[in-house]
Amino acid sequence: MQSRIPASRTGRPRDAAADAAILAATRQALVEVGWSKLTLGDVAVRAGVAKTTLYRRWAGKNELVVDAVAELFDALRLPDRGSLAADIEGVVLQFAAILARPEARSGLMAVVAEATRDEALRERIRASIVERQKRLVLAGRARAQERGELPPERDAGEAARSVDLIFDMVAGAVVHRTLVSAEPADEEWVHGFTRVLLSGLAAAPG
């Protein structure tokens, strides 16, 4: 069945506290029972809300899990550590720490697998996770340009392509390292990855 993103509704505004409780309950259920056994009914009980409250907000389990995982990534911050390399290392270590959490690991892998046959779900992942987290690339690039570490792009199209490429390289490498290879993205790995990212494959080791 194709995922459906609920249409916007008029009337009484959503209760932010209920939303937060539902997303927290979803992450708790992911840890305790896993994606396959997670149900919206169980989440509603854990969150202390009526099923109808939950169904008014999310069309199904896939959408709910995407939003619950996306909220974890919203906690990512780009620290100002004095240089582009140090800034990248700081945010990558945060990202790896989130992916090491059981609720993020099981939730993200499950919805990505489901999205291979569900275009609407892929769009939700792009909107809720990918596009929202590109803010970190934009902020990091702007800061590096202010420091003189990176040159400004020649036009808006080039700038957009640069953001996409940087995000894909960072996110792809960290997700593969932590979720596919199941290896730690520790400080040593992050330092080496950042060196290759900034200097290219011709960079001397060390």
Side-chain angles (χ1 to χ4, degrees):
M1 179 181 295
Q2 293 291 305
S3 298
R4 296 178 294 106
I5 299 176
S8 60
R9 300 174 185 272
T10 58
R12 189 171 58 186
R14 285 170 58 152
D15 182 349
D19 286 358
I22 291 167
L23 294 176
T26 302
R27 292 190 291 270
Q28 180 187 45
L30 282 168
V31 173
E32 294 181 7
V33 304
W35 183 87
S36 63
K37 295 182 180 179
L38 184 149
T39 66
L40 268 64
D42 178 38
V43 170
V45 171
R46 290 171 184 267
V49 302
K51 278 187 184 181
T52 52
T53 299
L54 196 152
Y55 278 105
R56 280 199 300 267
R57 290 157 165 76
W58 289 277
K61 179 167 73 172
N62 291 340
E63 295 85 357
L64 176 60
V65 171
V66 169
D67 288 359
V69 172
E71 190 173 62
L72 294 176
F73 296 131
D74 285 343
L76 285 168
R77 295 293 179 266
L78 184 69
D80 188 346
R81 302 174 71 179
S83 71
L84 177 58
D87 290 355
I88 292 172
E89 290 180 9
V91 77
V92 169
L93 285 168
Q94 290 178 63
F95 183 35
I98 290 173
L99 290 176
R101 295 172 62 167
E103 63 270 38
R105 184 169 61 246
S106 61
L108 186 60
M109 292 186 76
V111 294
V112 168
E114 289 294 309
T116 60
R117 54 180 179 270
D118 189 334
E119 176 59 30
L121 183 58
R122 285 198 294 274
E123 288 295 334
R124 194 180 191 101
I125 292 170
R126 278 193 288 266
S128 298
I129 298 177
V130 176
E131 294 302 326
R132 281 199 337 223
Q133 298 315 318
K134 284 181 182 177
R135 63 187 171 85
L136 299 166
V137 178
L138 291 166
R141 184 185 62 183
R143 184 185 293 163
Q145 288 172 340
E146 289 174 2
R147 293 180 183 135
E149 295 173 293
L150 291 177
E153 286 81 5
R154 290 172 294 184
D155 57 61
E158 180 184 353
R161 288 189 294 271
S162 173
V163 169
D164 288 345
L165 184 57
I166 294 168
F167 182 89
D168 289 346
M169 288 191 292
V170 174
V174 180
V175 168
H176 189 279
R177 174 75 177 179
T178 56
L179 301 187
V180 180
S181 297
E183 296 287 347
D186 54 19
E187 291 192 10
E188 181 180 4
W189 181 87
V190 171
H191 180 70
F193 164 72
T194 302
R195 186 179 67 248
V196 172
L197 176 68
L198 294 180
S199 303
L201 293 176

